[in-house]
Amino acid sequence: MDRSESIHTYIRPSTSKQTDEHQRSSIEEYLEERGVGLEDVNQYVDVGSGADDEREQFQDLLDHIRSKNVDHVVVWEISRISRRGATLQEFFDICENNGVTIHITDGAVEKVKPDGTGRFVADIVGMVYQQERRQLIRRVESGVRRAKSQGKWLGQVPAGFKRNDDGYLRPIINPKEDEDSYIEMADALERVEEGNSYRSVARSLSISRQGLSNIHQDDERRQWYLRGEADDKRVEDALKAFSEQS
């Protein structure tokens, strides 16, 4: 690898909250040891899941490889390319078919060459990452099922309610500055029922006019506030707890 060759780097933090600094530092150090600076390379950065094959920068990199304008691709570790086995194999194949050497700065294999050197170990590492991803998905799905079976509230919390420390839905009694209490929401919907406009009623609430309209036009949710009734047992239990406190 030298400056006269076409060198491309690829960085992918897992989420927008995760910094790419550790990947960038590792790649920069790897290049400097070989007399190459970041100014000598083409850099690609995506933010997103390794299960997403439509990452814009990743697709741009593939296009450049296919056009035979790339000699080397440098990544922090194999999972940054993808956690999907099929995508990873496709990437290896495209690089191999177009004479591209893949450099991994932090992994069990340092290089995957067009002649197949390093490919076997890289394939095994890729399968391990894929299995880890499957296990993670199973754990998440299991956790969601467990929470639902326990009556815990998942997802966005409805207006006038909060999720307590144990994960159960509870009506808000003493609202914070940016919250509406359950009583305020009930009163607001009663005023709408009496003929007041969504816009005028929403002026006294944190919830938007559209949010208030959505609740009022939802036959099931409207009854949570106007009659204190719910078909959803999680909401029913929350309202029951509220009535016992009142």
Side-chain angles (χ1 to χ4, degrees):
M1 179 193 296
D2 60 57
R3 295 180 182 181
S4 64
E5 295 178 298
S6 179
I7 304 168
H8 298 243
T9 65
Y10 182 73
I11 292 174
R12 182 187 63 79
S14 295
T15 68
S16 58
K17 295 180 181 180
Q18 188 181 85
T19 179
D20 61 14
E21 184 178 347
H22 59 299
Q23 296 183 46
R24 195 180 300 276
S25 296
S26 179
I27 290 173
E28 185 173 8
E29 182 178 341
Y30 183 88
L31 293 172
E32 286 180 349
E33 289 174 354
R34 288 152 182 80
V36 179
L38 287 179
E39 69 277 4
D40 302 315
V41 306
N42 297 293
Q43 301 180 56
Y44 300 80
V45 180
D46 276 313
V47 176
S49 168
D52 178 11
D53 292 345
E54 299 305 317
R55 286 166 276 144
E56 182 178 355
Q57 291 282 287
F58 180 65
Q59 292 301 321
D60 286 348
L61 175 59
L62 289 179
D63 289 342
H64 278 93
I65 293 173
R66 291 189 183 102
S67 66
K68 299 187 183 300
N69 291 324
V70 180
D71 295 310
H72 303 273
V73 172
V74 185
V75 298
W76 176 56
E77 61 171 28
I78 291 174
S79 68
R80 299 304 88 195
I81 298 168
S82 180
R83 286 187 178 273
R84 292 173 60 93
T87 302
L88 197 56
Q89 293 304 311
E90 180 186 16
F91 183 81
F92 288 155
D93 288 343
I94 291 173
C95 287
E96 186 174 314
N97 293 337
N98 291 278
V100 176
T101 297
I102 305 166
H103 301 255
I104 299 98
T105 67
D106 186 7
V109 57
E110 182 182 323
K111 293 180 184 179
V112 181
K113 298 182 179 179
D115 64 3
T117 302
R119 176 72 182 264
F120 178 71
V121 176
D123 285 343
I124 293 175
V125 173
M127 286 188 289
V128 171
Y129 284 132
Q130 186 172 17
Q131 182 62 24
E132 288 178 347
R133 176 174 172 268
R134 288 172 178 165
Q135 290 175 344
L136 175 61
I137 292 172
R138 285 195 289 268
R139 286 197 297 270
V140 170
E141 290 176 342
S142 175
V144 169
R145 287 194 298 271
R146 184 168 57 254
K148 285 183 176 179
S149 69
Q150 295 172 346
K152 296 183 179 181
W153 186 268
L154 303 173
Q156 184 175 356
V157 178
F161 291 84
K162 64 181 179 180
R163 191 167 26 228
N164 69 12
D165 293 341
D166 295 322
Y168 296 100
L169 197 66
R170 292 292 181 265
I172 295 174
I173 299 175
N174 299 309
K176 298 177 182 178
E177 186 175 345
D178 59 345
E179 294 178 332
D180 299 310
S181 72
Y182 173 77
I183 294 297
E184 287 174 320
M185 288 300 303
D187 178 67
L189 287 162
E190 286 177 359
R191 284 188 281 151
V192 170
E193 288 283 292
E194 292 169 357
N196 292 281
S197 70
Y198 296 128
R199 188 177 301 279
S200 65
V201 174
R203 287 196 188 105
S204 63
L205 301 171
S206 297
I207 192 173
S208 68
R209 178 198 65 80
Q210 186 61 53
L212 181 62
S213 170
N214 290 342
I215 293 173
H216 182 251
Q217 295 181 47
D218 186 316
D219 292 338
E220 181 181 349
R221 291 205 169 198
R222 185 171 65 246
Q223 300 312 315
W224 297 358
Y225 306 93
L226 294 179
R227 301 182 63 179
E229 298 177 355
D231 293 333
D232 189 316
K233 191 171 187 311
R234 297 170 299 173
V235 182
E236 182 184 23
D237 289 344
L239 294 173
K240 181 179 178 181
F242 175 71
S243 65
E244 291 173 351
Q245 289 181 336
S246 302

